Amino acid sequence: MSLVTTDFKDHMGILTLNHPEKRNALSKALIQDLVSGLREMKQAGARTVILRAPQGVQVWSAGHDIQELTVGGHDPQTYADPLRQAVRAIERFPAPVIAMIEGGVWGGACEMVMSCDLIFATPESTFAITPARLGVAYSIDGTLNFMKTVGLPLLREMLFTADPITAERAVQYGLINHILPADELERFTFGIAGRIARNSPLCISLLKEELRILAEAHPLTPEAFERLQNLRRALYSSEDYQEGLQAFFQKRTPDFKGR
Ligand code: LCV
């Protein structure tokens, strides 16, 4: 059974995350279905795609599948990591992807949502960036993606505390576009999607790609990149990284020693 269901009507694609038992954790399998759903929507000629979870969920997505994070000195978040594949697929999709959010958005799912072009959420939705809770070396690309949307003061707070922020704060700081009551979210989202679908798809596709390329125009020196790689390697080879994962599996609070 697919972990992401697809639907297509009136030039609009709808992708629904559908693995409630694992709180829509972004496993390899789920991401594979998501990426192939996007491919299907592209072939169908979608002029916009709505990415959602089933109505009424408490957790939109619990983020990276923690069971699939690598241990033993390997970088857990490489270029080939499923989350990176999902982010690239959304960013390079030739039409706007709209995230429609109800419930908690955790860790990697928060980055995935931020890579969408527009984000509409209910007041009860929350957003958390969690590497510090797990002791994970967060991907460099992921950090840069957040810096494109979130100002540094809020980003530092989210990264250092790993606490969820409310939809109200998220809209106030420009992380998301609109907050709608749960019973209006769908109508509002489909209304905007319909308006986008009636505009020039070629023009919108060009604008999306232009924004992506311009937002990425920040060259990094090889020395700076290698320094970041060194720092990341130290973290994912640490006892604390093992402790963060063990604590999650054992359903307890981690006891980080700083080594
Ligand atoms: C695998 C899971 C997960 C999960 N993976 O339900 O950005 S980074 O660097 O942090 C990156 C590495 C990342 O994204 O990491 C993941 C960040 N996510 C989190 O820290 C959230 C972890 N999950 C939770 O705190 C809770 O599950 C929430 C609050 C989301 C939902 O709580 P709830 O009581 O509704 P359970 O905890 O009972 O979860 C139901 C099942 O889903 C699994 C979890 O282990 C449980 O499995 P079992 O039924 O086999 O016990 N699950 C939840 N999240 N990220 N598996």
Side-chain angles (χ1 to χ4, degrees):
M1 200 194 73
S2 180
L3 302 177
V4 178
T5 59
T6 60
D7 198 3
F8 183 78
K9 60 179 175 203
D10 303 332
H11 299 295
M12 286 183 247
I14 300 143
L15 300 184
T16 307
L17 308 182
N18 188 29
H19 195 193
E21 302 79 12
K22 285 277 175 189
R23 308 298 186 261
N24 290 332
L26 303 174
S27 61
K28 280 193 191 101
L30 186 141
I31 297 280
Q32 217 168 49
D33 289 348
L34 175 64
V35 172
S36 90
L38 282 170
R39 210 176 298 125
E40 188 186 322
M41 293 303 133
K42 184 177 168 185
Q43 275 159 8
R47 295 180 179 190
T48 183
V49 167
I50 295 169
L51 179 58
R52 62 174 302 175
Q55 204 171 16
V57 290
Q58 298 294 312
V59 180
W60 192 88
S61 168
H64 213 292
D65 188 321
I66 297 170
Q67 275 160 338
E68 292 181 0
L69 285 173
T70 50
V71 285
H74 300 292
D75 191 335
Q77 306 230 294
T78 59
Y79 185 81
D81 181 79
L83 174 63
R84 306 258 52 81
Q85 293 178 30
V87 167
R88 285 196 295 272
I90 291 169
E91 287 179 343
R92 281 152 209 249
F93 191 79
V97 178
I98 303 175
M100 187 174 113
I101 309 294
E102 267 191 281
V105 182
W106 295 87
C110 194
E111 194 206 333
M112 189 174 87
V113 164
M114 295 303 147
S115 73
C116 294
D117 299 285
L118 297 171
I119 306 164
F120 307 139
T122 60
E124 297 77 25
S125 305
T126 58
F127 302 84
I129 319 179
T130 48
R133 201 166 99 149
L134 292 160
V136 173
Y138 203 66
S139 93
I140 300 172
D141 204 24
T143 310
L144 185 61
N145 281 344
F146 275 116
M147 288 174 67
K148 287 178 204 157
T149 9
V150 187
L152 279 179
L154 179 65
L155 182 57
R156 288 192 188 102
E157 181 185 327
M158 290 181 79
L159 282 170
F160 299 163
T161 65
D163 286 339
I165 64 160
T166 59
E168 195 185 338
R169 272 198 92 195
V171 85
Q172 190 187 339
Y173 283 92
L175 237 86
I176 66 173
N177 295 85
H178 288 281
I179 302 179
L180 284 310
D183 57 357
E184 287 174 31
L185 180 67
E186 210 165 280
R187 196 176 50 82
F188 181 88
T189 307
F190 280 80
I192 298 257
R195 288 215 288 290
I196 291 172
R198 286 189 291 279
N199 283 337
S200 158
L202 287 180
C203 175
I204 291 179
S205 174
L206 157 74
L207 289 171
K208 175 168 171 171
E209 186 64 353
E210 194 168 270
L211 290 173
R212 184 185 72 78
I213 290 173
L214 291 176
E216 280 178 6
H218 297 291
L220 200 61
T221 64
E223 195 228 336
F225 185 78
E226 278 167 18
R227 166 151 171 72
L228 286 178
Q229 281 296 72
N230 262 355
L231 292 168
R232 292 171 52 74
R233 201 166 296 126
L235 180 55
Y236 63 69
S237 310
S238 69
E239 284 173 32
D240 275 2
Y241 174 56
Q242 310 274 350
E243 166 63 9
L245 299 196
Q246 285 308 316
F248 174 79
F249 297 135
Q250 294 163 9
K251 299 184 190 281
R252 61 172 172 81
T253 307
D255 177 16
F256 293 123
K257 305 284 189 213
R259 57 173 184 260

